[in-house]
Short mmCIF file of all heavy atoms in Angstrom, two decimals:
data_model
loop_
_atom_site.label_atom_id
_atom_site.label_comp_id
_atom_site.label_asym_id
_atom_site.label_seq_id
_atom_site.Cartn_x
_atom_site.Cartn_y
_atom_site.Cartn_z
N PHE A 307 167.66 -11.75 150.03
CA PHE A 307 167.31 -13.17 149.98
C PHE A 307 167.21 -13.65 148.53
O PHE A 307 167.71 -14.73 148.18
CB PHE A 307 165.98 -13.42 150.70
CG PHE A 307 165.48 -14.83 150.57
CD1 PHE A 307 166.10 -15.88 151.23
CD2 PHE A 307 164.39 -15.11 149.76
CE1 PHE A 307 165.64 -17.18 151.10
CE2 PHE A 307 163.91 -16.42 149.63
CZ PHE A 307 164.54 -17.45 150.30
N ALA A 308 166.58 -12.84 147.68
CA ALA A 308 166.44 -13.21 146.26
C ALA A 308 167.82 -13.37 145.61
O ALA A 308 168.03 -14.27 144.79
CB ALA A 308 165.62 -12.16 145.51
N ASP A 309 168.76 -12.50 145.97
CA ASP A 309 170.12 -12.60 145.43
C ASP A 309 170.78 -13.91 145.85
O ASP A 309 171.48 -14.55 145.04
CB ASP A 309 170.96 -11.41 145.89
CG ASP A 309 170.52 -10.09 145.27
OD1 ASP A 309 169.80 -10.13 144.24
OD2 ASP A 309 170.86 -9.02 145.81
N VAL A 310 170.57 -14.32 147.10
CA VAL A 310 171.16 -15.58 147.59
C VAL A 310 170.57 -16.77 146.83
O VAL A 310 171.31 -17.67 146.40
CB VAL A 310 170.90 -15.74 149.11
CG1 VAL A 310 171.30 -17.14 149.57
CG2 VAL A 310 171.67 -14.69 149.89
N VAL A 311 169.25 -16.76 146.65
CA VAL A 311 168.60 -17.86 145.92
C VAL A 311 169.12 -17.93 144.49
O VAL A 311 169.41 -19.02 143.97
CB VAL A 311 167.06 -17.68 145.93
CG1 VAL A 311 166.39 -18.77 145.08
CG2 VAL A 311 166.52 -17.72 147.35
N GLN A 312 169.26 -16.77 143.86
CA GLN A 312 169.76 -16.75 142.48
C GLN A 312 171.18 -17.31 142.40
O GLN A 312 171.49 -18.11 141.50
CB GLN A 312 169.73 -15.32 141.93
CG GLN A 312 170.22 -15.23 140.50
CD GLN A 312 169.82 -13.93 139.82
OE1 GLN A 312 168.82 -13.32 140.18
NE2 GLN A 312 170.60 -13.50 138.85
N LYS A 313 172.04 -16.93 143.34
CA LYS A 313 173.42 -17.42 143.34
C LYS A 313 173.46 -18.94 143.56
O LYS A 313 174.29 -19.64 142.97
CB LYS A 313 174.24 -16.70 144.42
CG LYS A 313 174.55 -15.26 144.06
CD LYS A 313 175.22 -14.53 145.23
CE LYS A 313 175.44 -13.06 144.89
NZ LYS A 313 175.94 -12.30 146.07
N PHE A 314 172.56 -19.45 144.40
CA PHE A 314 172.51 -20.89 144.64
C PHE A 314 172.24 -21.64 143.34
O PHE A 314 172.97 -22.59 143.00
CB PHE A 314 171.42 -21.21 145.67
CG PHE A 314 171.18 -22.68 145.87
CD1 PHE A 314 171.96 -23.41 146.75
CD2 PHE A 314 170.19 -23.34 145.15
CE1 PHE A 314 171.75 -24.78 146.92
CE2 PHE A 314 169.98 -24.70 145.31
CZ PHE A 314 170.76 -25.42 146.20
N PHE A 315 171.22 -21.22 142.62
CA PHE A 315 170.88 -21.95 141.39
C PHE A 315 171.90 -21.71 140.29
O PHE A 315 172.13 -22.61 139.46
CB PHE A 315 169.46 -21.59 140.94
CG PHE A 315 168.40 -22.24 141.78
CD1 PHE A 315 167.68 -21.52 142.73
CD2 PHE A 315 168.14 -23.60 141.66
CE1 PHE A 315 166.73 -22.13 143.51
CE2 PHE A 315 167.19 -24.23 142.44
CZ PHE A 315 166.48 -23.49 143.38
N GLU A 316 172.52 -20.56 140.28
CA GLU A 316 173.59 -20.32 139.29
C GLU A 316 174.76 -21.27 139.51
O GLU A 316 175.40 -21.71 138.55
CB GLU A 316 174.04 -18.86 139.35
CG GLU A 316 173.04 -17.89 138.72
CD GLU A 316 173.40 -16.43 138.92
OE1 GLU A 316 174.31 -16.16 139.75
OE2 GLU A 316 172.77 -15.57 138.28
N SER A 317 175.03 -21.60 140.78
CA SER A 317 176.08 -22.59 141.08
C SER A 317 175.71 -23.96 140.52
O SER A 317 176.56 -24.68 139.96
CB SER A 317 176.30 -22.70 142.60
OG SER A 317 176.87 -21.53 143.11
N LEU A 318 174.43 -24.33 140.66
CA LEU A 318 173.99 -25.62 140.11
C LEU A 318 174.12 -25.62 138.59
O LEU A 318 174.62 -26.60 138.00
CB LEU A 318 172.53 -25.89 140.50
CG LEU A 318 172.18 -26.00 141.99
CD1 LEU A 318 170.75 -26.51 142.14
CD2 LEU A 318 173.13 -26.92 142.73
N PHE A 319 173.67 -24.54 137.96
CA PHE A 319 173.73 -24.47 136.49
C PHE A 319 175.18 -24.58 136.00
O PHE A 319 175.45 -25.22 134.98
CB PHE A 319 173.13 -23.16 135.99
CG PHE A 319 171.67 -22.97 136.35
CD1 PHE A 319 171.14 -21.70 136.50
CD2 PHE A 319 170.83 -24.06 136.54
CE1 PHE A 319 169.80 -21.51 136.84
CE2 PHE A 319 169.49 -23.89 136.87
CZ PHE A 319 168.98 -22.61 137.02
N ALA A 320 176.10 -23.95 136.75
CA ALA A 320 177.51 -23.96 136.35
C ALA A 320 178.11 -25.37 136.39
O ALA A 320 179.11 -25.65 135.73
CB ALA A 320 178.33 -23.02 137.24
N CYS A 321 177.49 -26.25 137.18
CA CYS A 321 177.98 -27.64 137.30
C CYS A 321 177.12 -28.61 136.49
O CYS A 321 177.21 -29.83 136.67
CB CYS A 321 178.01 -28.06 138.76
SG CYS A 321 179.09 -27.05 139.79
N ASN A 322 176.28 -28.05 135.63
CA ASN A 322 175.37 -28.86 134.80
C ASN A 322 174.48 -29.76 135.67
O ASN A 322 174.21 -30.91 135.33
CB ASN A 322 176.17 -29.70 133.80
CG ASN A 322 175.27 -30.24 132.68
OD1 ASN A 322 174.28 -29.62 132.31
ND2 ASN A 322 175.60 -31.41 132.16
N ILE A 323 174.05 -29.20 136.80
CA ILE A 323 173.09 -29.89 137.67
C ILE A 323 171.71 -29.32 137.37
O ILE A 323 171.50 -28.12 137.44
CB ILE A 323 173.44 -29.68 139.16
CG1 ILE A 323 174.83 -30.26 139.47
CG2 ILE A 323 172.38 -30.31 140.06
CD1 ILE A 323 175.36 -29.90 140.85
N CYS A 324 170.79 -30.19 137.04
CA CYS A 324 169.44 -29.76 136.67
C CYS A 324 168.50 -29.91 137.87
O CYS A 324 168.14 -31.04 138.24
CB CYS A 324 168.94 -30.59 135.48
SG CYS A 324 167.35 -30.01 134.85
N PRO A 325 168.08 -28.81 138.49
CA PRO A 325 167.27 -28.90 139.70
C PRO A 325 165.78 -29.02 139.42
O PRO A 325 165.25 -28.40 138.50
CB PRO A 325 167.58 -27.57 140.40
CG PRO A 325 167.85 -26.61 139.28
CD PRO A 325 168.47 -27.42 138.16
N TYR A 326 165.12 -29.81 140.23
CA TYR A 326 163.66 -29.90 140.23
C TYR A 326 163.21 -29.67 141.67
O TYR A 326 163.49 -30.49 142.55
CB TYR A 326 163.19 -31.26 139.72
CG TYR A 326 163.47 -31.46 138.26
CD1 TYR A 326 164.71 -31.94 137.82
CD2 TYR A 326 162.51 -31.15 137.30
CE1 TYR A 326 164.98 -32.10 136.47
CE2 TYR A 326 162.78 -31.31 135.94
CZ TYR A 326 164.01 -31.79 135.54
OH TYR A 326 164.27 -31.94 134.19
N VAL A 327 162.55 -28.55 141.89
CA VAL A 327 162.17 -28.15 143.24
C VAL A 327 160.75 -28.63 143.54
O VAL A 327 159.83 -28.41 142.74
CB VAL A 327 162.26 -26.63 143.41
CG1 VAL A 327 161.78 -26.20 144.80
CG2 VAL A 327 163.69 -26.15 143.17
N VAL A 328 160.59 -29.29 144.69
CA VAL A 328 159.28 -29.80 145.11
C VAL A 328 158.92 -29.13 146.44
O VAL A 328 159.64 -29.26 147.42
CB VAL A 328 159.30 -31.33 145.26
CG1 VAL A 328 157.91 -31.83 145.63
CG2 VAL A 328 159.79 -31.99 143.98
N LEU A 329 157.79 -28.41 146.43
CA LEU A 329 157.35 -27.67 147.60
C LEU A 329 156.20 -28.40 148.31
O LEU A 329 155.34 -29.00 147.65
CB LEU A 329 156.87 -26.27 147.20
CG LEU A 329 157.95 -25.28 146.76
CD1 LEU A 329 157.34 -24.20 145.89
CD2 LEU A 329 158.63 -24.66 147.96
N ASP A 330 156.19 -28.30 149.63
CA ASP A 330 155.04 -28.80 150.39
C ASP A 330 153.81 -27.98 150.05
O ASP A 330 153.91 -26.79 149.74
CB ASP A 330 155.29 -28.67 151.90
CG ASP A 330 156.31 -29.66 152.41
OD1 ASP A 330 156.35 -30.78 151.88
OD2 ASP A 330 157.07 -29.31 153.33
N GLY A 331 152.66 -28.63 150.13
CA GLY A 331 151.40 -27.92 149.97
C GLY A 331 150.74 -27.68 151.31
O GLY A 331 151.41 -27.35 152.30
N GLY A 332 149.43 -27.88 151.37
CA GLY A 332 148.70 -27.67 152.62
C GLY A 332 148.86 -28.83 153.58
O GLY A 332 149.59 -29.79 153.32
N CYS A 333 148.16 -28.73 154.71
CA CYS A 333 148.22 -29.79 155.71
C CYS A 333 147.52 -31.04 155.20
O CYS A 333 146.65 -30.97 154.34
CB CYS A 333 147.54 -29.32 157.00
SG CYS A 333 148.36 -27.91 157.76
N ASP A 334 147.91 -32.18 155.75
CA ASP A 334 147.28 -33.45 155.41
C ASP A 334 145.78 -33.39 155.70
O ASP A 334 145.34 -32.78 156.68
CB ASP A 334 147.93 -34.57 156.23
CG ASP A 334 147.51 -35.95 155.75
OD1 ASP A 334 146.46 -36.40 156.21
OD2 ASP A 334 148.22 -36.54 154.92
N ILE A 335 145.00 -34.02 154.82
CA ILE A 335 143.54 -34.01 154.97
C ILE A 335 143.11 -34.55 156.32
O ILE A 335 142.15 -34.08 156.93
CB ILE A 335 142.89 -34.84 153.84
CG1 ILE A 335 143.19 -34.22 152.48
CG2 ILE A 335 141.38 -34.95 154.05
CD1 ILE A 335 142.80 -35.09 151.31
N SER A 336 143.86 -35.53 156.85
CA SER A 336 143.52 -36.13 158.14
C SER A 336 143.80 -35.19 159.31
O SER A 336 143.33 -35.40 160.42
CB SER A 336 144.31 -37.42 158.34
OG SER A 336 145.69 -37.12 158.47
N ASP A 337 144.61 -34.14 159.04
CA ASP A 337 144.99 -33.17 160.06
C ASP A 337 145.76 -33.81 161.22
O ASP A 337 145.76 -33.30 162.34
CB ASP A 337 143.75 -32.44 160.60
CG ASP A 337 144.01 -30.94 160.80
OD1 ASP A 337 145.05 -30.46 160.32
OD2 ASP A 337 143.18 -30.27 161.42
N LYS A 338 146.44 -34.93 160.94
CA LYS A 338 147.12 -35.66 162.02
C LYS A 338 148.36 -34.95 162.55
O LYS A 338 148.88 -35.30 163.61
CB LYS A 338 147.50 -37.06 161.53
CG LYS A 338 148.38 -37.08 160.29
CD LYS A 338 148.47 -38.50 159.76
CE LYS A 338 149.18 -38.54 158.40
NZ LYS A 338 149.13 -39.88 157.81
N LYS A 339 148.80 -33.91 161.83
CA LYS A 339 150.00 -33.20 162.25
C LYS A 339 149.67 -31.91 163.01
O LYS A 339 150.56 -31.13 163.32
CB LYS A 339 150.84 -32.89 161.00
CG LYS A 339 152.31 -32.60 161.26
CD LYS A 339 153.06 -32.42 159.96
CE LYS A 339 154.46 -31.92 160.20
NZ LYS A 339 155.21 -31.69 158.95
N LEU A 340 148.40 -31.69 163.31
CA LEU A 340 147.98 -30.42 163.90
C LEU A 340 148.69 -30.13 165.22
O LEU A 340 149.12 -29.00 165.46
CB LEU A 340 146.46 -30.41 164.10
CG LEU A 340 145.87 -29.12 164.70
CD1 LEU A 340 146.21 -27.92 163.83
CD2 LEU A 340 144.37 -29.25 164.88
N THR A 341 148.82 -31.14 166.07
CA THR A 341 149.48 -30.92 167.36
C THR A 341 150.91 -30.45 167.17
O THR A 341 151.38 -29.51 167.83
CB THR A 341 149.47 -32.22 168.20
OG1 THR A 341 148.11 -32.61 168.41
CG2 THR A 341 150.14 -32.01 169.54
N THR A 342 151.62 -31.10 166.23
CA THR A 342 153.00 -30.70 165.93
C THR A 342 153.05 -29.28 165.39
O THR A 342 153.91 -28.47 165.77
CB THR A 342 153.62 -31.67 164.90
OG1 THR A 342 153.65 -32.98 165.46
CG2 THR A 342 155.04 -31.25 164.55
N LEU A 343 152.12 -28.94 164.49
CA LEU A 343 152.09 -27.59 163.91
C LEU A 343 151.84 -26.53 164.98
O LEU A 343 152.45 -25.45 164.95
CB LEU A 343 151.02 -27.51 162.83
CG LEU A 343 151.28 -28.34 161.57
CD1 LEU A 343 150.07 -28.30 160.65
CD2 LEU A 343 152.52 -27.84 160.83
N LYS A 344 150.98 -26.84 165.93
CA LYS A 344 150.72 -25.89 167.01
C LYS A 344 151.94 -25.73 167.91
O LYS A 344 152.27 -24.61 168.34
CB LYS A 344 149.51 -26.35 167.83
CG LYS A 344 148.17 -26.13 167.12
CD LYS A 344 147.01 -26.51 168.03
CE LYS A 344 145.68 -26.16 167.38
NZ LYS A 344 144.52 -26.50 168.24
N ASP A 345 152.62 -26.84 168.18
CA ASP A 345 153.85 -26.77 168.99
C ASP A 345 154.90 -25.90 168.29
O ASP A 345 155.57 -25.08 168.94
CB ASP A 345 154.41 -28.17 169.23
CG ASP A 345 153.57 -28.98 170.21
OD1 ASP A 345 152.76 -28.37 170.93
OD2 ASP A 345 153.71 -30.22 170.23
N ARG A 346 155.02 -26.07 166.99
CA ARG A 346 156.00 -25.27 166.25
C ARG A 346 155.59 -23.80 166.20
O ARG A 346 156.45 -22.91 166.22
CB ARG A 346 156.16 -25.83 164.83
CG ARG A 346 156.90 -27.15 164.83
CD ARG A 346 157.12 -27.69 163.43
NE ARG A 346 157.84 -28.95 163.49
CZ ARG A 346 158.07 -29.73 162.44
NH1 ARG A 346 157.61 -29.39 161.25
NH2 ARG A 346 158.72 -30.86 162.57
N ALA A 347 154.29 -23.55 166.13
CA ALA A 347 153.82 -22.16 166.15
C ALA A 347 154.21 -21.49 167.47
O ALA A 347 154.64 -20.33 167.49
CB ALA A 347 152.30 -22.11 165.95
N ARG A 348 154.08 -22.22 168.57
CA ARG A 348 154.48 -21.67 169.88
C ARG A 348 155.98 -21.41 169.92
O ARG A 348 156.43 -20.38 170.46
CB ARG A 348 154.08 -22.64 171.00
CG ARG A 348 152.58 -22.76 171.21
CD ARG A 348 152.27 -23.62 172.42
NE ARG A 348 150.83 -23.86 172.54
CZ ARG A 348 150.21 -24.93 172.06
NH1 ARG A 348 150.90 -25.89 171.44
NH2 ARG A 348 148.91 -25.07 172.20
#
Side-chain angles (χ1 to χ4, degrees):
F307 174 71
D309 291 342
V310 171
V311 176
Q312 181 163 333
K313 288 173 184 173
F314 173 85
F315 285 105
E316 285 173 348
S317 292
L318 299 190
F319 299 152
C321 300
N322 196 30
I323 299 170
C324 186
Y326 292 86
V327 177
V328 183
L329 289 157
D330 288 325
C333 297
D334 190 275
I335 297 170
S336 67
D337 221 11
K338 57 190 172 187
K339 201 175 171 182
L340 181 59
T341 300
T342 299
L343 293 173
K344 285 184 174 181
D345 288 343
R346 288 183 180 173
R348 292 186 186 95

